[in-house]
Amino acid sequence: MKEIEEAIRENNLLILSPHYDDVPLTFGGYLGMLREKGLTSSKNIHIVQIFSRSNYQARDDEGNKDTSLQRIQHATGIRLLEDLNCLDELIGFGEYRYEIKAEKECVIRQKGWKEGELFEFPQGNQEDFDSEDWEIFGRIKICAADWLSQKETAILLPLGIKEHIDHIILRDAVVSAWKDLKNKAKSTIYFGEDQPYTGLAGKEDWEKAKSFLDTLTTEEIDYCINETRKAELVWQHYPTQVEESYRQGILNRADQLKHIHNAPSGMERMYRLMQDE
């Protein structure tokens, strides 16, 4: 268990976010504690929004089948503002840089929903990628080579628990670029436990995540957070995205880690990728 000051040693944080709500869902506890302790200014925070063309709105099954420009303009505009408003409160207005890569998210690409889940998402891994997915993978990998060349930089991205296909495309493209560099990467990768997936994960989900981690050398980094505040921010700022299961996932995982460490509060976990792999 680490103090928040020790969780990430690098001064520059490059946070790669698959979708508009993934920064607070995956790293909201860490970022919230930085601000609570007055440490936000000690980090240069750069957020890159990857799958930022969206037509998705929660609880709108018919609308989510609409891939017209009008629908994408409507959904993307709402989601962008939801994200910016949350990040302003989580990190502080003017305390972060925000960049958009403008890839089409999975709903526009008409990926089917995984059945039997408490919330909607399309599951997939490299075996399920189609030609469009591989094109996106290739573009991200090219960007990742540049991201990984940055000194004194922590690259934060989701681990891919439950295998949301957009999370997997991002994760695997960055790791592929890292492997190609063969220990010449100057940045350090940190995988965050993406929520609400992690807090709702079953045995099979964890086995898949462990299988991925077992191909690498990683260090677990656990730290205390204000889990209630994290859940409240997500619930408040993303009304077109979240369902009650989001709150449940956040609080479940924070409580699991709390009991593992006998900690005074809920916790969050990252996995640092070791450079000597």
Side-chain angles (χ1 to χ4, degrees):
M1 187 168 69
K2 292 186 178 292
E3 296 296 326
I4 204 67
E5 300 89 335
E6 302 171 346
I8 296 178
R9 297 169 295 196
E10 293 79 9
N11 293 327
N12 303 311
L13 306 183
L14 176 59
I15 308 177
L16 306 180
S17 178
H19 307 111
Y20 286 111
D21 51 6
D22 282 316
V23 171
L25 280 168
T26 306
F27 302 107
Y30 172 76
L31 294 169
M33 291 304 295
L34 280 185
R35 189 168 193 194
E36 184 175 313
K37 294 199 172 186
L39 298 172
T40 305
S41 60
S42 69
K43 303 290 187 182
N44 299 312
I45 302 173
H46 179 188
I47 295 167
V48 181
Q49 196 60 248
I50 307 296
F51 296 91
S52 52
R53 293 184 192 270
S54 175
N55 70 332
Y56 179 74
Q57 300 280 272
R59 301 168 294 279
D60 185 6
D61 292 343
E62 287 303 311
N64 291 332
K65 299 174 185 176
D66 183 355
T67 59
S68 67
L69 176 60
Q70 184 178 13
R71 173 68 179 195
I72 293 171
Q73 289 173 328
H74 171 76
T76 299
I78 291 173
R79 296 194 67 181
L80 173 60
L81 287 174
E82 287 180 343
D83 203 38
L84 292 174
N85 289 337
C86 184
L87 295 173
D88 286 348
E89 187 167 354
L90 177 64
I91 303 170
F93 180 80
E95 295 293 335
Y96 61 95
R97 176 183 168 195
Y98 195 89
E99 178 182 351
I100 287 177
K101 280 298 176 191
E103 296 288 354
K104 295 178 182 178
E105 72 167 4
C106 53
V107 184
I108 296 178
R109 305 198 313 275
Q110 295 293 282
K111 301 296 182 182
W113 306 117
K114 183 184 179 186
E115 297 181 357
E117 296 287 341
L118 292 176
F119 60 99
E120 298 175 321
F121 74 95
Q123 183 185 28
N125 52 47
Q126 290 193 26
E127 294 179 358
D128 306 299
F129 290 1
D130 60 21
S131 59
E132 187 175 19
D133 298 330
W134 281 114
E135 288 173 3
I136 295 169
F137 177 98
R139 287 192 291 270
I140 295 174
K141 184 174 177 179
I142 291 171
C143 293
D146 179 61
W147 294 329
L148 288 160
S149 70
Q150 300 176 28
K151 296 180 180 179
E152 189 54 36
T153 298
I155 297 179
L156 280 59
L157 70 160
L159 176 59
I161 302 271
K162 281 187 176 289
E163 294 190 328
H164 186 306
I165 192 166
D166 287 350
H167 293 216
I168 297 301
I169 291 172
L170 172 59
R171 183 198 73 184
D172 287 0
V174 173
V175 171
S176 180
W178 177 82
K179 288 181 176 178
D180 285 353
L181 287 171
K182 297 180 180 179
N183 279 333
K184 294 181 181 178
K186 297 178 181 177
S187 305
T188 301
I189 294 174
Y190 292 75
F191 300 107
E193 292 190 339
D194 27 0
Q195 293 289 10
Y197 311 93
T198 306
L200 303 174
K203 181 179 179 181
E204 182 179 353
D205 301 315
W206 280 111
E207 287 175 349
K208 288 182 179 180
K210 186 177 184 300
S211 178
F212 167 75
L213 289 171
D214 283 347
T215 67
L216 306 165
T217 301
T218 60
E219 174 194 8
E220 292 180 357
I221 302 171
D222 296 351
Y223 45 88
C224 289
I225 65 169
N226 184 338
E227 69 273 28
T228 303
R229 178 62 172 157
K230 175 180 176 178
E232 287 176 350
L233 279 176
V234 171
W235 187 259
Q236 173 188 351
H237 286 288
Y238 300 94
T240 72
Q241 304 302 305
V242 301
E243 302 174 30
E244 179 56 35
S245 56
Y246 280 52
R247 191 199 310 270
Q248 180 183 341
I250 291 170
L251 299 179
N252 280 355
R253 184 55 173 164
D255 191 59
Q256 289 169 6
L257 293 171
K258 173 182 177 179
H259 286 290
I260 288 172
H261 291 281
N262 193 26
S265 70
M267 303 188 74
E268 214 173 54
R269 173 174 287 176
M270 298 183 200
Y271 303 79
R272 179 189 288 124
L273 181 55
M274 308 304 288
Q275 296 291 68
D276 61 349
E277 172 65 24

